[in-house]
Amino acid sequence: MATASCQLCSKERWQTFSHIAFGLWDTTELELKRQHSLYPLSQCQHCGHVQVSVQYTNDLFAKLYFHSAQEAVMWHESLIASHAPYQEMINFALSGLDDINNLLGLTQQSPKTVVDFGCGEGKLLAATQAALPDSELVGIDFNDRFSQTNIRYLAFDLNNLEQLTSDAWPQGIDLAMASHVLEHVINPVEFLRGIKQQLSPKGAIFIEVPDFSAPHPLPSIGMSNLVNLQHIHYFSLDSLQFAAKQAGLRLIKQARVITGYIPRLQVLLQAANDIALNHDSTQPESHTVSTVNAVSHYQHQCQQLRAQLAAKVRAAITRHGKAGLWGIGADFYLLISEHTDLLELIASRQLALFDYSLAGKHYHGQTIACSSKLANAIHPTFLCPLLAETRIKMRAISQEWQQVVDPFFKGI
Ligand SMILES: [Zn+2]
């Protein structure tokens, strides 16, 4: 793995404080093997930014997005069909634009052209259309998941925005938006600079990212997988503001709010061609240490949740002689890596393994059973994934299956 330079300040002075594990099963043989690597999570010793400090190759991107496309944000069980988080985003952006007009003594004017960079399936644009029925809306993304039939869509590589032309918005973009995108792009400064080039003279950029300014509330951690290899960058308000400054943008408005499992950091940015770069401290400042703490705290709590699951499995085996695990993926691999006694329980068949897509494969002397077999299970079987979205689907499938236990579900 080649080391990357800091994507905010270009220096290459890292302090690695943790790793992110990522792997895939090699299913070519009957016996499953894990192709598994640890990717360094580091803090830039020049500007304090926290990111995965290796270069993301095309090969790595292909692996990362092969198994799980970039999913829509999983806010909370109670918010699955809700548009509220997206309405809050557009309201934040529009009130910021109003503030700008007020400051300049201009009459209020709705943005004529609104472009969503990294629009996904288009939830934010749908909320925008409801708020701004007369505006011209465009969605841009590279993964073609867009599902809004009456909004224009452009396929474009978000890591290459300097190649973007202004054909679709000859007067410039009045409001650009990127919600839960900046943490995924290779170079956030180039991404912001690329958008800035497309702005109209009074245009602004709305950005929302997961907030790593401070440790997350314990009950939220792990439920939406905010520390994972698809997230290259971990922002605090300070580092996001620094990224904006490096791109020639200034902060107009900011907010930090928590919705369900997601601490959200929102900013509205505008071009500021005259700002000086003065974020030159050689030592990280105290605020930048907080991002390291927030990420470490997040990972530690995920480990605690896996330890709780391991304890439940052991207790069930002690009590019933046998137990099961359902969902043989990344969390399973971390669980058995951190609690190697479970491998012996797998080998002795006291711990049965269930998975729909890996059924029939062998692991540590055991044949993985299809999850449909759980309908008639007589021993407690625990869901293995932490991610709430995955467990919701598994709970829906297993409603009638008496022995299936979701060890992480605390009610809606
Ligand atoms: Zn840096």
Side-chain angles (χ1 to χ4, degrees):
M1 283 184 249
T3 302
S5 56
C6 172
Q7 299 297 293
L8 299 197
C9 78
S10 309
K11 302 284 192 296
E12 207 177 293
R13 281 200 292 130
W14 294 115
Q15 181 155 341
T16 297
F17 64 92
S18 186
H19 291 84
I20 295 180
F22 176 74
L24 296 172
W25 292 117
D26 177 353
T27 55
T28 50
E29 310 278 332
L30 193 58
E31 177 78 17
L32 280 183
K33 285 192 206 76
R34 190 81 176 167
Q35 296 170 333
H36 174 86
S37 301
L38 294 175
Y39 296 81
L41 260 173
S42 309
Q43 182 178 41
C44 173
Q45 296 301 288
H46 184 73
C47 76
H49 180 50
V50 171
Q51 66 165 92
V52 180
S53 56
V54 295
Q55 288 175 21
Y56 275 60
T57 58
N58 288 338
D59 187 43
L60 178 56
F61 270 120
K63 277 189 209 157
L64 274 177
Y65 290 93
F66 168 72
H67 251 281
S68 51
Q70 191 181 330
E71 300 283 348
V73 178
M74 169 64 201
W75 301 97
H76 192 263
E77 277 91 340
S78 62
L79 291 170
I80 285 173
S82 170
H83 302 294
Y86 302 96
Q87 288 159 350
E88 287 159 15
M89 291 179 202
I90 188 66
N91 289 344
F92 172 91
L94 293 180
S95 78
L97 289 176
D98 285 349
D99 293 348
I100 296 170
N101 285 329
N102 282 338
L103 264 175
L104 298 174
L106 300 171
T107 50
Q108 303 298 346
Q109 207 177 28
S110 292
K112 288 195 185 70
T113 306
V114 182
V115 181
D116 188 357
F117 291 82
C119 57
E121 56 192 301
K123 288 183 175 176
L124 177 53
L125 280 171
T128 304
Q129 194 169 46
L132 299 169
D134 299 325
S135 299
E136 177 86 24
L137 308 184
V138 184
I140 299 184
D141 214 327
F142 56 81
N143 55 14
D144 292 350
R145 289 185 295 124
F146 198 62
S147 61
Q148 310 297 320
T149 48
N150 52 355
I151 297 176
R152 186 167 172 194
Y153 174 76
L154 285 175
F156 204 85
D157 178 5
L158 298 174
N159 281 314
N160 209 3
L161 285 184
E162 68 271 23
Q163 305 292 328
L164 190 63
T165 63
S166 56
D167 300 351
W169 41 80
Q171 309 300 316
I173 298 169
D174 301 310
L175 175 60
M177 313 187 287
S179 165
H180 295 267
V181 173
L182 202 64
E183 67 273 27
H184 292 262
V185 302
I186 293 175
N187 189 320
V189 175
E190 273 177 21
F191 177 82
L192 290 171
R193 214 176 265 147
I195 296 177
K196 184 189 160 214
Q197 285 172 2
Q198 305 292 337
L199 291 179
S200 66
K202 283 194 276 116
I205 307 174
F206 165 74
I207 299 288
E208 179 170 315
V209 290
D211 185 9
F212 283 92
S213 305
H216 293 188
L218 278 183
S220 74
I221 292 179
M223 304 297 104
S224 65
N225 201 12
L226 291 178
V227 178
N228 77 83
L229 204 58
Q230 288 188 356
H231 289 177
I232 304 172
H233 302 281
Y234 297 83
F235 289 104
S236 63
L237 178 58
D238 294 289
S239 65
L240 182 54
Q241 194 168 355
F242 178 52
K245 204 171 183 179
Q246 296 289 68
L249 295 157
R250 68 192 167 98
L251 192 77
I252 301 293
K253 187 179 162 83
Q254 67 193 56
R256 292 178 56 209
V257 288
I258 296 180
T259 301
Y261 303 131
I262 315 279
R264 309 159 68 182
L265 175 56
Q266 303 175 319
V267 295
L268 192 70
L269 308 168
Q270 220 179 15
N273 296 317
D274 55 346
I275 52 173
L277 301 178
N278 59 2
H279 199 286
D280 242 5
S281 62
T282 42
Q283 291 298 315
E285 295 163 34
S286 57
H287 63 252
T288 56
V289 172
S290 69
T291 306
V292 172
N293 288 344
V295 173
S296 302
H297 175 255
Y298 194 100
Q299 290 188 303
H300 178 74
Q301 176 60 11
C302 289
Q303 214 171 53
Q304 290 296 109
L305 291 172
R306 289 190 292 270
Q308 286 167 19
L309 173 55
K312 285 181 185 186
V313 167
R314 289 181 202 111
I317 291 174
T318 303
R319 194 155 168 217
H320 304 279
K322 258 189 110 170
L325 282 173
W326 178 17
I328 306 305
D331 287 310
F332 167 79
Y333 188 75
L334 290 174
L335 176 77
I336 55 160
S337 304
E338 289 161 359
H339 304 277
T340 48
D341 59 311
L342 298 185
L343 281 173
E344 289 156 36
L345 296 170
I346 292 169
S348 65
R349 317 266 171 107
Q350 287 169 284
L351 180 55
L353 304 180
F354 297 87
D355 193 275
Y356 182 78
S357 57
L358 295 174
K361 293 287 176 189
H362 290 188
Y363 195 69
H364 274 262
Q366 190 176 136
T367 304
I368 296 171
C370 182
S371 42
S372 60
K373 296 269 190 275
L374 284 167
N376 304 312
I378 53 167
H379 302 290
T381 298
F382 299 91
L383 308 193
C384 214
L386 284 181
L387 199 62
E389 191 172 14
T390 311
R391 286 184 289 103
I392 288 167
K393 289 175 190 158
M394 294 166 91
R395 284 208 305 272
I397 295 168
S398 62
Q399 280 176 45
E400 311 286 320
W401 303 351
Q402 302 298 323
Q403 295 295 336
V404 172
V405 182
D406 181 344
F408 306 116
F409 184 56
K410 297 181 192 79
I412 294 176

